[in-house]
């Protein structure tokens, strides 16, 4: 068991990064963890904990096998961060109140892709990564009552191609607060819900929202 508190030590060499100055009102909005092997035998592990914070910083906390903090990095994102997801043990996807999604490698170096999903905050996000095809599927729900979907083929850090992208405007009559990708009869689909207390099923092959309850 360990505890961690935001502090002043986070700093990145990236030119967009700034030394972190803690604010007692800063909130950790979302987090994700990547488990990494640090030797060839794979019997020693460490952890990268990614935190998105309300003050606009995307933070990475490097934690040892004994659950001690090794290092901290803070990259200034530019707006309040709301969502973060790590995938493929290689990449991090983040979203904030500006409605855009940005991608980074595990060193918090930004990759050449930016996705405009919403007019305002990204309240909910889910992803599914298929390693055999290098495909990443992203579903989000926003303050703007819409649901957005993007599929990406990621060959490497510099080769990212958008395969499909759509937005269902006014999928709900209030803010969308939850999204979930799942399989239905071997086809990928999504379920969404919001402050309107409605659950929708999103058909991804034919971009349409079907009322469930």
């Amino acid at each position: 068991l360990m505890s961690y508190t935001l502090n002043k030590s986070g700093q990145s060499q990236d030119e967009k990064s700034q030394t972190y100055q803690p604010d007692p009102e800063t909130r950790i909005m979302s987090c994700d963890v990547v488990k990494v092997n640090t030797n060839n035998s794979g019997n020693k592990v460490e952890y990268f904990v990614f935190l998105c914070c309300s003050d606009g910083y995307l933070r990475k906390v490097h934690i040892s096998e004994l659950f001690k903090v090794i290092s901290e990095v803070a990259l200034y994102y530019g707006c309040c961060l709301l969502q973060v997801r790590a995938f493929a043990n290689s990449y991090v996807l983040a979203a904030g109140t500006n409605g855009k999604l940005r991608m980074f490698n595990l060193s918090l170096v930004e990759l050449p892709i930016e996705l405009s999903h919403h007019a305002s905050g990204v309240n909910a996000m889910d992803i599914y990564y298929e390693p055999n095809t290098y495909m990443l599927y992203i579903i989000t729900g926003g303050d703007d009552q819409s649901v957005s979907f993007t599929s990406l083929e990621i060959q490497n850090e510099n080769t990212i191609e958008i395969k499909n992208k759509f937005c269902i405007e006014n999928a709900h009559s209030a803010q969308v607060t939850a999204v979930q990708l799942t399989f239905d009869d071997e086809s990928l689909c999504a379920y969404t819900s919001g402050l309107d207390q409605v659950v929708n099923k999103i058909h991804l092959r034919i971009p349409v929202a079907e009322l469930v309850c």
Side-chain angles (χ1 to χ4, degrees):
L1 178 66
M2 67 166 288
S3 63
Y4 169 79
T5 304
L6 300 178
N7 58 44
K8 296 182 180 180
S9 61
Q11 191 170 18
S12 169
Q13 295 179 354
D14 188 278
E15 63 180 6
K16 293 184 179 179
S17 302
Q18 304 173 15
T19 302
Y20 181 80
Q21 299 297 329
D23 182 337
E25 296 185 359
T26 295
R27 293 163 292 162
I28 297 175
M29 307 301 292
S30 181
C31 70
D32 206 352
V33 180
V34 175
K35 181 179 178 181
V36 293
N37 295 321
T38 56
N39 59 15
N40 292 331
S41 63
N43 58 9
K44 183 179 180 182
V45 297
E46 295 176 351
Y47 305 90
F48 295 151
V49 180
F50 294 92
L51 308 171
C52 57
C53 301
S54 61
D55 60 358
Y57 281 87
L58 176 61
R59 298 173 61 81
K60 182 182 80 171
V61 184
H62 186 183
I63 298 175
S64 72
E65 187 177 28
L66 300 177
F67 297 102
K68 303 293 184 182
V69 175
I70 297 173
S71 64
E72 304 165 52
V73 173
L75 182 141
Y76 187 64
Y77 192 88
C79 67
C80 171
L81 279 153
L82 299 173
Q83 307 291 332
V84 63
R85 298 289 186 277
F87 64 97
N89 276 348
S90 301
Y91 307 108
V92 177
L93 184 70
T97 53
N98 63 359
K100 296 180 180 180
L101 280 60
R102 293 160 61 186
M103 195 177 298
F104 305 83
N105 64 18
L106 296 187
S107 299
L108 293 188
V109 175
E110 187 167 2
L111 306 189
I113 185 79
E114 182 179 273
L115 302 171
S116 296
H117 263 217
H118 297 279
S120 51
V122 181
N123 291 337
M125 179 169 71
D126 194 23
I127 66 173
Y128 173 71
Y129 179 69
E130 175 51 62
N132 294 327
T133 59
Y134 308 106
M135 290 295 298
L136 175 68
Y137 303 92
I138 309 164
I139 189 89
T140 61
D143 268 342
D144 56 4
Q145 307 177 15
S146 67
V147 172
S148 290
F149 172 80
T150 298
S151 60
L152 301 173
E153 183 179 8
I154 305 174
Q155 294 289 345
N156 54 55
E157 291 188 2
N158 297 310
T159 308
I160 303 173
E161 182 180 354
I162 297 175
K163 291 296 187 179
N164 188 19
K165 188 176 187 295
F166 65 78
C167 175
I168 302 178
E169 297 181 356
N170 298 315
H172 289 264
S173 59
Q175 298 174 16
V176 183
T177 55
V179 297
Q180 180 71 55
L181 288 167
T182 188
F183 282 91
D184 184 7
D185 295 330
E186 299 185 354
S187 296
L188 190 64
C189 64
Y191 288 87
T192 66
S193 62
L195 296 184
D196 56 1
Q197 303 179 356
V198 167
V199 176
N200 284 329
K201 179 180 179 180
I202 308 298
H203 298 271
L204 301 180
R205 292 183 177 178
I206 307 173
V208 63
E210 174 189 351
L211 177 64
V212 175
C213 62

